[in-house]
Amino acid sequence: MTRILVGLHHLELGGSQLNALDLATSVRDLGHDVHVFATHTAKPGPVADLVRDRGLPLTLIRHRLVRTRRAMPCRPAVAREIGRLAREKGAELVHSYEYPLILDAFYGTRLPLVGTVYAMGVPSWIPRHVPVVAGTAAIADEARARGQWAELIEPPVNTDLDAPGAVDGAAFRAEYGIAPREVAVVVVSRLEPDMKAEGVERAMDALRVLGQRVRLVVVGDGPSYEALARRGARVNAELGRHAVVMTGALADPRPAYAAADVTLGMGGSALRAMSFAKPLIVLGVRGFAKPMNPGTWDYFQTHGFFGSGLAPGEPDLTAHLAELVAAPVRWAELGAWSRDLVVGRYGLAAAAATLDDVYRRALAAPAGAWLPVAARTAAHRAAAEVAPVGLRARIRPLLGPSSGGARA
């Protein structure tokens, strides 16, 4: 048994947080002592309740949001709290999700550290001796080429909970007034401006040409919710019907997946839709949209369920939706193929076993890989160089003249 701290970079509903929770629960069930900590800026988000529902202890770390155009190596107050928690719990290893919290733990403790980055790239300034879990083969290979210790664990899916028949999709359709003859196109997503909002906007625009039977159901909340709700209201007014349905965040979005005829999504949400045996179009940025099927599988297994840009002559999201909506005879076939793929490749048990192996190798790494004071101090100072000048003074207390920062 290993005493492990698992850190979530925030508590809003999103793929990274849900993946982290599933893996933390599974690692706990393998026999480890797991304690979750999470940062938040105001009221903790709904994932806090999900953590407690799984029977995992949770420590909340509140911090002040600092906006800067450049990456801040760490948040000193958060780093100190992680160090304090590690000492209090007698932790032996820290696993932080997403790069702000990886560097907070790097500064705040001298424990073996594992980081997971489910963003579309591993930042080059993450210390190279820290094992980093990436979600796609291409991202892991790119990190390894830079000398990073990178491991591949594709976003896992709990194929028992996310499964056809696990929840009642008909009740969801009835609640939101979606008739049996209507086509429900469902997207479940954290609504953020950087990656998510653009695809939802394109889906709304597609409704103008998809016909009267198509309804777009947007499940989620986030910084872009209000802007997307206004855009949806304009589309509804233009079409003279309730074509766009905005549900807001749902603590359990599974009924939305179950209710869908066609799904849109990226990352973990795309995989959950496939686990529900639903046909899927993967969204990205800068116009990217690609259906998931045997002909496109090679792309997705290399690059993950995301993409950027639309090559000249490629069909856009509207064209892909029009083709899929018009061919209901294909839905069951595509859905069954997707379900089989997820069960065979993305099951949670296999991902947890791989993560357990990563933990064991991190703990078994020579002490010199983690703890030489001079080398660690040098790494800290090198990372600090990416901080804005005005923030460096806040980092120096964690460095000290000869130590590697706060000790745990």
Side-chain angles (χ1 to χ4, degrees), residues 223-388:
S224 296
Y225 178 87
E226 294 299 333
L228 288 170
R230 289 192 296 270
R231 190 184 188 102
R234 290 195 298 270
V235 171
N236 288 343
E238 178 183 335
L239 297 179
R241 62 189 182 90
H242 197 194
V244 177
V245 179
M246 303 284 295
T247 72
L250 300 178
D252 182 2
R254 293 181 302 152
Y257 290 116
D261 297 303
V262 173
T263 58
L264 309 174
M266 62 178 68
S269 179
L271 286 165
R272 290 186 180 92
M274 293 169 62
S275 190
F276 274 94
K278 302 297 180 176
L280 167 72
I281 299 173
V282 177
L283 299 178
V285 297
R286 298 177 53 241
F288 180 91
K290 191 182 290 289
M292 178 60 183
N293 57 50
T296 61
W297 165 230
D298 284 347
Y299 171 90
F300 291 120
Q301 69 173 329
T302 300
H303 300 285
F305 292 84
F306 185 74
S308 178
L310 188 67
E314 281 190 349
D316 62 7
L317 176 59
T318 299
H320 287 310
L321 273 171
E323 180 181 0
L324 196 52
V325 164
V329 293
R330 298 185 60 210
W331 296 350
E333 176 188 350
L334 286 170
W337 176 82
S338 296
R339 169 72 184 177
D340 288 344
L341 178 64
V342 170
V343 171
R345 177 162 179 150
Y346 296 97
L348 182 57
T354 301
L355 182 59
D356 184 55
D357 180 65
V358 173
Y359 288 165
R360 288 190 290 105
R361 286 187 284 126
L363 287 162
W370 294 106
L371 300 178
V373 171
R376 191 170 180 86
T377 300
H380 283 184
R381 294 191 187 282
E385 288 304 311
V386 304

Side-chain angles (χ1 to χ4, degrees), residues 68-276:
T68 173
R69 292 183 180 180
R70 299 182 66 189
M72 183 179 179
C74 82
R75 296 163 291 187
V78 175
R80 286 192 293 268
E81 281 300 301
I82 295 172
R84 180 200 61 77
L85 180 64
R87 292 189 295 273
E88 176 186 307
K89 301 300 179 183
E92 298 167 87
L93 180 142
V94 180
H95 182 183
S96 289
Y97 281 76
E98 308 306 339
Y99 60 82
L101 207 57
I102 295 172
L103 288 184
D104 293 334
F106 177 76
Y107 279 90
T109 81
R110 297 182 63 187
L111 294 172
L113 170 64
V114 173
T116 290
V117 177
Y118 278 141
M120 300 313 295
V122 175
S124 60
W125 37 262
I126 288 180
R128 292 184 179 183
H129 67 273
V130 173
V132 176
V133 173
T136 75
I139 292 172
D141 289 345
E142 179 184 349
R144 291 187 194 112
R146 295 196 307 265
Q148 178 76 50
W149 180 352
E151 304 285 346
L152 173 63
I153 299 180
E154 292 161 316
V157 180
N158 188 326
T159 55
D160 294 327
L161 294 178
D162 295 334
V167 290
D168 188 358
F172 180 92
R173 293 177 72 106
E175 179 179 355
Y176 290 98
I178 303 169
R181 61 176 293 274
E182 292 181 311
V183 178
V185 177
V186 174
V187 54
V188 180
S189 176
R190 170 93 174 142
L191 303 178
E192 297 177 332
D194 292 339
M195 292 173 57
K196 310 296 180 66
E198 176 200 328
V200 177
E201 290 172 352
R202 286 186 276 126
M204 290 181 180
D205 293 342
L207 291 170
R208 296 183 174 95
V209 300
L210 290 179
Q212 293 293 308
R213 293 193 307 121
V214 180
R215 306 278 295 277
L216 174 65
V217 183
V218 181
V219 179
D221 202 349
S224 296
Y225 178 87
E226 294 299 333
L228 288 170
R230 289 192 296 270
R231 190 184 188 102
R234 290 195 298 270
V235 171
N236 288 343
E238 178 183 335
L239 297 179
R241 62 189 182 90
H242 197 194
V244 177
V245 179
M246 303 284 295
T247 72
L250 300 178
D252 182 2
R254 293 181 302 152
Y257 290 116
D261 297 303
V262 173
T263 58
L264 309 174
M266 62 178 68
S269 179
L271 286 165
R272 290 186 180 92
M274 293 169 62
S275 190
F276 274 94

